[in-house]
Amino acid sequence: ELIMPDPNKTIAEGGILPWSHNASGFYGIMLRSLADHYDVSIDIPVHKIDPAIIKKIMYGDEKPIKLQLHYFSNGISNYHNMWFHGIIPHLLKRYSETDSQMIREEIETYMLTKPCQACKGARLKQEALIVKIGAKNIAEISELPIDHALEFISKLDLNKRERAIADKVLYEISNRLEFLSKVGLDYLTLDRAAMTLAGGESQRIRLASQIGSALVGILYVLDEPTIGLHPADNKRLIETLKHLRDIGNTVIVVEHDEETMRQADYLVDIGPGAGEAGGHIVAAGTPEEVMKNEKSITAPYLSGKKSIAIPNRRPIAKGHPYLIVHNARENNLKDISVTFPLQRFVLVTGVSGSGKSTLITEVLCKGVQRKLGSFIQAGAHDSITGTEYIDKIVEIDQSPIGRTPRSNPATYTKCFDIIRTLFAATPAARSRGYKPGRFSFNVNGGRCENCQGDGQIKIEMNFLPDVYITCDVCKGTRYNHETLEVLWKGKNISQVLNMTVSEAIEFFENIPSLIDKLITLDHVGLGYIHLGQSAPTLSGGEAQRIKLSAELARPATGQTLYVLDEPTTGLHFADVEKLLAVLQQLVDRGNTVVVIEHNLDVIKSADWIIDLGPGGGEKGGQVVAKGTPEEITAVEESLTGQVLEPVLFKRKV
């Protein structure tokens, strides 16, 4: 189904997806030879070809087929014999033998992960599964959510001898499970794969292992532990951190969450701005002392002197267009139908594990992509209606903007293309015959060949981590001497890449095509980043905002569905205010913005809220409340409504 997702396509039109991108190349020649061998036309829909022949094309014949491939090279007719074993065996062979991560990821798009038929997903032999405690084997206990596991451990019926053997072990297990439950992770199953955990979930699990050790005199450093945590769960996390403090430890937390700041014993505010404008201790002391500091940007938000204003709600009149997901049942979703008003700012919230990411990422996004022509597999649901009102979907996540240090904000937003063209148009470049490619550090010509445009040299240290030193030829500029001699307004290409976005806005003020892209970066709060800053040094939140600015710079269609997952991660109050202005701007253009978020300032600013829950894991997967923020506060079952009510009330007063 993944290899031939559209049976109405012919082989010539790309009906066999893995080999469709190279119709005139090797795989195209292979397919035509196969069609000749089985005497079928490449110009009829795949579903009209004999299923027995399709099976042989997919899995191969009983014996390998010897194909004669006919192709032209430099105008000369050539013939080449090759054994064909089947498309799927070919893909599996390439997957197992290749060293290219990119090829492996491409082939994985034609694969599904399913439970092993022998052990049914238990991972162990039958001999190990025979051993049981409390009528459950180790695999069955591992499948339990943390709250169920805690109940199971507490209700174990052991005799005196068994209790003497297991008492200390059960005590340690119970302690760890209780802590995981306290920090809002009771919905996770014990066998949940680590790679599927969010950053905040991983951090809280590591914290659980420390709590269990009961050590004292330890310095704990946490970086934004409230990521992915619903405000209703914050209190439990804060109590845990206070417990660590009370037993004799020091806890340092990097955090933007308002409640965590208020509960701190000592607050350090760094600024006053970001990037080169930051790096100073603006205020330090108790939260009350920091609130009185007039130099602090954080203080007015904590004291209530400044707040993010509630925007005017966009009403949803009768007959308004909707995007509707019908009967979603992937993972823990309870066969729910969810309505998303289009051309509005829609917010999806709920406690951790309530099913937000499953509903939006796995069902809505992939389902809409499939309706718009993609062959991606969506999470289980019946149908999605209303896609006729949108022409494209844009997911803006926190994945890096590039895999290597060569990727940077300038290349991602296409600013670098314009900058290189400007340098190529200078009299110095034209007299030397330099084209825009000369000013790229990715290709031969203008870059420093000693470091191949990296600006650094990697020294492998065998059993120690690699060490990077500044290139001694280009001194970190990435370019050779001849390229750096070309100046635009007195600056060479390396100096331009070292500029911050704010500096570049002033420098390129008379270049409209460039200034628009730079201003959008500044509007999303990234005026401090450098144009040539390497992708690995950018945080997830910064990467997400760069992607957002790139989308804003594109021509508006007015029918785009934008989806963001926790865009406020790592953002200060002032940055959240800027982000909201950008999102509202997208909606004002007629687009639809769907955001998964726990930040109360973002929640209160939405036109429409979908609150999932009521709990996490098996206890979640239902729509607890839907409507405007004011309507959500009236729903007693909604934990979001409970924490949102004082925020809305406070702001109205």
Side-chain angles (χ1 to χ4, degrees):
E1 290 81 5
L2 297 177
I3 287 173
M4 295 191 298
D6 189 352
N8 294 314
K9 279 190 174 182
T10 67
I11 292 176
E13 292 171 339
I16 299 178
L17 203 56
W19 291 359
S20 64
H21 62 283
N22 199 3
S24 61
F26 174 77
Y27 292 124
I29 296 167
M30 176 93 83
L31 284 173
R32 286 194 291 274
S33 299
L34 266 177
D36 290 341
H37 177 84
Y38 288 115
D39 194 25
V40 296
S41 171
I42 63 171
D43 296 314
I44 64 170
V46 171
H47 72 87
K48 290 187 178 180
I49 299 174
D50 184 347
I53 292 176
I54 290 292
K55 185 175 180 181
K56 289 178 180 179
I57 292 173
M58 287 294 102
Y59 298 98
D61 221 324
E62 291 181 7
K63 294 181 179 179
I65 303 165
K66 188 178 183 180
L67 297 176
Q68 189 178 62
L69 308 184
H70 181 211
Y71 61 95
F72 289 89
S73 178
N74 297 323
I76 301 172
S77 182
N78 294 280
Y79 291 89
H80 176 69
N81 291 328
M82 182 171 178
W83 293 100
F84 176 75
H85 299 267
I87 289 175
I88 288 175
H90 171 81
L91 290 173
L92 288 170
K93 188 170 186 290
R94 283 191 75 205
Y95 185 79
S96 62
E97 294 179 354
T98 184
D99 292 327
S100 168
Q101 183 62 25
M102 187 172 70
I103 291 174
R104 290 178 69 89
E105 287 177 0
E106 180 188 344
I107 296 174
E108 282 173 1
T109 62
Y110 307 110
M111 297 179 175
L112 291 176
T113 303
K114 293 186 176 180
C116 167
Q117 293 181 350
C119 67
K120 309 301 181 201
R123 308 184 186 197
L124 298 169
K125 293 180 180 180
Q126 285 302 311
E127 292 87 339
L129 297 175
I130 290 171
V131 180
K132 295 187 178 183
I133 295 175
K136 289 184 182 293
N137 61 43
I138 192 167
E140 291 170 334
I141 295 172
S142 297
E143 289 172 354
L144 293 174
I146 285 164
D147 54 351
H148 289 190
L150 190 55
E151 183 182 0
F152 173 79
I153 293 294
S154 65
K155 291 184 177 179
L156 272 179
D157 186 17
L158 303 177
N159 59 38
K160 186 176 180 181
R161 178 176 174 276
E162 291 169 337
R163 180 64 64 181
I165 295 169
D167 201 36
K168 289 186 178 180
V169 177
L170 291 175
Y171 173 78
E172 292 293 339
I173 293 172
S174 297
N175 269 1
R176 285 162 169 74
L177 292 176
E178 283 174 4
F179 174 76
L180 287 167
S181 182
K182 282 180 183 177
V183 293
L185 296 177
D186 53 355
Y187 59 92
L188 290 179
T189 57
L190 292 171
D191 63 355
R192 175 83 171 261
M195 61 183 293
T196 67
L197 295 168
E201 290 172 333
S202 298
Q203 191 169 191
R204 280 175 270 156
I205 287 171
R206 288 196 295 272
L207 195 57
S209 66
Q210 294 299 318
I211 288 287
S213 66
L215 294 172
V216 297
I218 304 294
L219 171 64
Y220 290 104
V221 181
L222 295 89
D223 191 358
E224 297 195 67
T226 64
I227 291 175
L229 198 60
H230 190 273
D233 294 323
N234 271 11
K235 186 178 179 182
R236 291 194 291 180
L237 176 64
I238 292 168
E239 286 174 353
T240 302
L241 298 179
K242 285 183 174 180
H243 170 71
L244 279 174
R245 174 203 64 189
D246 293 341
I247 63 174
N249 300 297
T250 303
V251 182
I252 296 178
V253 182
V254 180
E255 189 56 83
H256 295 100
D257 176 67
E258 182 177 347
E259 186 59 29
T260 308
M261 284 191 241
R262 291 184 183 280
Q263 294 293 325
D265 298 316
Y266 195 81
L267 205 56
V268 178
D269 190 27
I270 299 178
E276 293 179 358
H280 299 279
I281 304 296
V282 178
T286 64
E288 292 74 21
E289 289 170 343
V290 170
M291 286 182 208
K292 297 173 184 177
N293 192 308
E294 295 181 358
K295 295 180 181 179
S296 170
I297 297 175
T298 308
Y301 288 98
L302 287 177
S303 65
K305 291 179 181 178
K306 192 173 183 180
S307 64
I308 296 173
I310 299 173
N312 293 326
R313 306 254 184 257
R314 300 175 185 87
I316 301 172
K318 189 176 181 181
H320 189 86
Y322 290 95
L323 193 63
I324 306 175
V325 175
H326 298 274
N327 303 102
R329 51 190 176 277
E330 182 73 6
N331 293 338
N332 68 331
L333 298 179
K334 305 293 193 296
D335 205 30
I336 56 174
S337 293
V338 187
T339 300
F340 300 85
L342 293 170
Q343 299 162 19
R344 294 293 181 268
F345 181 16
V346 182
L347 197 129
V348 181
T349 189
V351 296
S352 300
S354 58
K356 303 182 296 297
S357 294
T358 298
L359 173 65
I360 302 304
T361 306
E362 296 300 318
V363 180
L364 178 69
C365 290
K366 292 182 178 178
V368 169
Q369 287 173 11
R370 195 170 177 84
K371 292 275 281 188
L372 294 178
S374 170
F375 298 112
I376 194 167
Q377 291 290 107
H381 69 287
D382 285 350
S383 63
I384 295 178
T385 55
T387 52
E388 65 271 20
Y389 298 111
I390 57 177
D391 58 11
K392 68 173 178 176
I393 178 171
V394 177
E395 282 188 85
I396 305 174
D397 59 18
Q398 296 197 3
S399 60
I401 59 172
R403 296 177 181 272
T404 69
R406 295 179 183 273
S407 300
N408 57 54
T411 55
Y412 188 85
T413 57
K414 308 297 182 187
C415 288
F416 200 33
D417 295 345
I418 303 170
I419 292 170
R420 289 189 294 113
T421 302
L422 288 174
F423 272 87
T426 60
R430 293 173 66 183
S431 67
R432 301 180 187 193
Y434 292 170
K435 302 296 182 186
R438 175 81 190 194
F439 301 95
S440 170
F441 48 72
N442 289 320
V443 294
N444 293 333
R447 72 182 183 184
C448 170
E449 289 304 324
N450 186 56
C451 62
Q452 295 188 322
D454 278 340
Q456 295 178 318
I457 302 292
K458 181 173 79 171
I459 300 176
E460 295 184 0
M461 302 293 287
N462 295 327
F463 300 108
L464 296 172
D466 295 335
V467 173
Y468 290 86
I469 61 169
T470 302
C471 174
D472 58 350
V473 175
C474 69
K475 310 302 181 188
T477 64
R478 297 182 166 199
Y479 294 93
N480 58 36
H481 179 68
E482 293 78 14
T483 306
L484 295 175
E485 286 180 339
V486 179
L487 305 179
W488 194 87
K489 288 179 66 175
K491 300 282 186 183
N492 63 40
I493 187 72
S494 179
Q495 290 170 328
V496 168
L497 287 175
N498 282 328
M499 287 181 178
T500 65
V501 170
S502 298
E503 290 169 343
I505 289 172
E506 187 177 340
F507 187 70
F508 292 108
E509 60 182 345
N510 296 320
I511 312 297
S513 58
L514 187 54
I515 204 75
D516 290 345
K517 296 177 185 294
L518 294 171
I519 286 175
T520 56
L521 279 168
D522 188 55
H523 282 175
V524 296
L526 294 176
Y528 62 92
I529 64 171
H530 293 266
L531 295 181
Q533 189 170 334
S534 64
T537 67
L538 297 165
S539 69
E542 287 170 334
Q544 189 171 38
R545 282 179 285 158
I546 289 171
K547 294 176 186 178
L548 186 59
S549 71
E551 288 299 325
L552 280 168
R554 291 192 174 100
T557 63
Q559 290 185 302
T560 303
L561 173 63
Y562 292 96
V563 179
L564 296 91
D565 191 351
E566 296 197 58
T568 64
T569 299
L571 295 194
H572 185 271
F573 299 107
D575 294 323
V576 172
E577 196 166 7
K578 287 182 180 180
L579 176 68
L580 282 170
V582 171
L583 298 180
Q584 297 289 2
Q585 181 185 339
L586 284 172
V587 181
D588 289 339
R589 293 181 182 180
N591 301 298
T592 305
V593 175
V594 176
V595 178
I596 301 173
E597 190 55 83
H598 295 110
N599 184 289
L600 290 172
D601 283 319
V602 179
I603 295 173
K604 76 178 187 194
S605 302
D607 295 316
W608 190 262
I609 294 175
I610 297 163
D611 189 29
L612 297 184
E618 292 180 359
K619 298 174 183 175
Q622 301 179 57
V623 178
V624 177
K626 59 183 178 180
T628 64
E630 288 78 11
E631 289 170 341
I632 294 292
T633 60
V635 180
E636 291 184 9
E637 298 80 14
S638 171
L639 289 174
T640 301
Q642 293 174 20
V643 294
L644 185 60
E645 185 174 18
V647 174
L648 284 173
F649 179 74
K650 180 175 69 175
R651 299 299 185 248
K652 285 180 178 178
V653 172

